Amino acid sequence: MSEEMKNEMELENAEAVETAAEPVETMEDYAAELEASYKTLNKRNIEISEDESGVLEKWAHFTQMLEERTVFSVKIAEAVKAGVVAYVDDVRAFIPASQLSTEYVEKLEDWQGKNIDVIVITADTEKKRLVLSGREVEKERKEAERKEKLAQFKAGDVVEGTVDSLKNYGAFIKLADGVDGLLHVSQISTQRIKHPGVVLKEGQSVKVKILSVADGKISLSMKALTAPVEDEEQHERFDYKETASVTTGLGDLLKVLKL
């Protein structure tokens, strides 16, 4: 056998071995591979759906909190331009500087790390925009405290207060923290005055009578503390007995005359 024929036979044997080593892909193998791909794809879709469902659930909860004005606490993470940032259930929320407190906020950095009570004032699901307010919570609590204190004052009570401010139409008297009453200029003195400053000055302690408490407003009077006394004196001075005759006859006059 020539050398050339030997080389050809070795080449054919090598190709046969290589061919036998390669797996033969059947239709069953292809179907199994396709099924596995579908399973992987479905699993990914389920994971994505579950993730989207979780996000939607969070925003649905934020919307409910907005509608119910739910009060909850957050920790301020950082100060940014025109406000601060906090996180609610891992969702970034913005608190504008004007919504931090009822008091003026000078330095936003001073609020970083603080815990404050807030409510949701904006929950935009589409834009994923969540805005909170601490000012509204503080405002509502102060109003509730004011109403509670206001309930202690009744019409007819005589109380002491401090002149808080003077206006052309009267003076505001501080009766308690957060509770003021209006002392109208006509109720300051029994004499007619043009301006409260004629009689009163800011910081002065005064005793007043409560005329009325209505719609969260208190009307006061200083004049009422003295006017009843004057009226009573006038009543005693000019009152007539019911048995007295209004007119005097000529016969009665002649009886008392001494001729």
Side-chain angles (χ1 to χ4, degrees):
M1 182 181 295
S2 65
E3 188 67 26
E4 185 178 351
M5 290 181 65
K6 283 183 180 181
N7 291 336
E8 288 180 359
M9 289 180 65
E10 289 177 358
L11 182 60
E12 289 177 358
N13 291 334
E15 290 176 351
V17 171
E18 184 179 354
T19 302
E22 293 179 355
V24 179
E25 188 176 65
T26 63
M27 288 300 297
E28 287 79 5
D29 295 330
Y30 179 75
E33 184 180 354
L34 191 61
E35 181 66 22
S37 298
Y38 277 131
K39 286 182 178 180
T40 302
L41 181 62
N42 289 337
K43 184 178 180 181
R44 287 182 58 195
N45 288 338
I46 290 172
E47 289 175 351
I48 292 171
S49 298
E50 287 178 348
D51 180 64
E52 290 180 350
S53 175
V55 171
L56 293 175
E57 185 177 347
K58 285 182 182 181
W59 283 93
H61 182 54
F62 295 153
T63 301
Q64 183 179 358
M65 294 169 73
L66 169 65
E67 294 172 352
E68 297 178 355
R69 296 182 68 83
T70 304
V71 178
F72 59 101
S73 179
V74 295
K75 184 175 182 179
I76 297 175
E78 59 178 324
V80 294
K81 184 178 180 180
V84 297
V85 171
Y87 289 87
V88 184
D89 201 6
D90 296 327
V91 175
R92 183 183 174 92
F94 179 62
I95 307 176
S98 61
Q99 293 296 326
L100 268 173
S101 173
T102 54
E103 305 294 334
Y104 173 72
V105 177
E106 185 174 358
K107 294 182 179 180
L108 293 171
E109 294 78 10
D110 294 342
W111 289 76
Q112 190 168 328
K114 288 186 177 181
N115 290 291
I116 63 170
D117 290 336
V118 295
I119 61 171
V120 176
I121 57 174
T122 300
D124 192 329
T125 305
E126 293 183 0
K127 296 181 179 180
K128 299 295 184 290
R129 185 177 299 167
L130 186 63
V131 184
L132 312 176
S133 172
R135 180 179 182 275
E136 289 298 311
V137 176
E138 190 176 331
K139 183 179 177 182
E140 290 177 3
R141 286 178 177 170
K142 285 185 176 181
E143 183 61 24
E145 291 174 0
R146 181 179 181 276
K147 287 182 179 179
E148 186 177 349
K149 292 177 181 178
L150 194 64
Q152 301 173 7
F153 299 95
K154 307 292 183 184
D157 290 348
V158 176
V159 296
E160 291 187 358
T162 305
V163 178
D164 193 42
S165 62
L166 299 175
K167 307 293 180 182
N168 291 332
Y169 52 84
F172 284 98
I173 309 300
K174 183 178 181 180
L175 304 178
D177 289 337
V179 179
D180 290 343
L182 175 61
L183 177 61
H184 194 268
V185 65
S186 65
Q187 294 295 325
I188 293 176
S189 174
T190 55
Q191 297 179 353
R192 188 173 182 179
I193 60 174
K194 293 183 178 181
H195 191 277
V198 175
V199 178
L200 303 172
K201 61 181 180 180
E202 292 184 3
Q204 178 181 345
S205 295
V206 293
K207 184 177 288 186
V208 292
K209 183 175 182 178
I210 298 177
L211 298 180
S212 66
V213 180
D215 300 326
K217 298 177 181 179
I218 301 178
S219 296
L220 306 172
S221 175
M222 288 176 61
K223 186 172 72 172
L225 296 177
T226 56
V229 177
E230 295 177 358
D231 290 344
E232 185 178 350
E233 290 176 353
Q234 290 179 355
H235 179 72
E236 292 177 353
R237 190 180 305 162
F238 298 105
D239 194 19
Y240 291 92
K241 297 181 179 179
E242 293 182 358
T243 56
S245 177
V246 177
T247 60
T248 304
L250 179 60
D252 294 329
L253 289 174
L254 291 175
K255 289 180 182 180
V256 296
L257 290 176
K258 293 181 180 181
L259 299 177

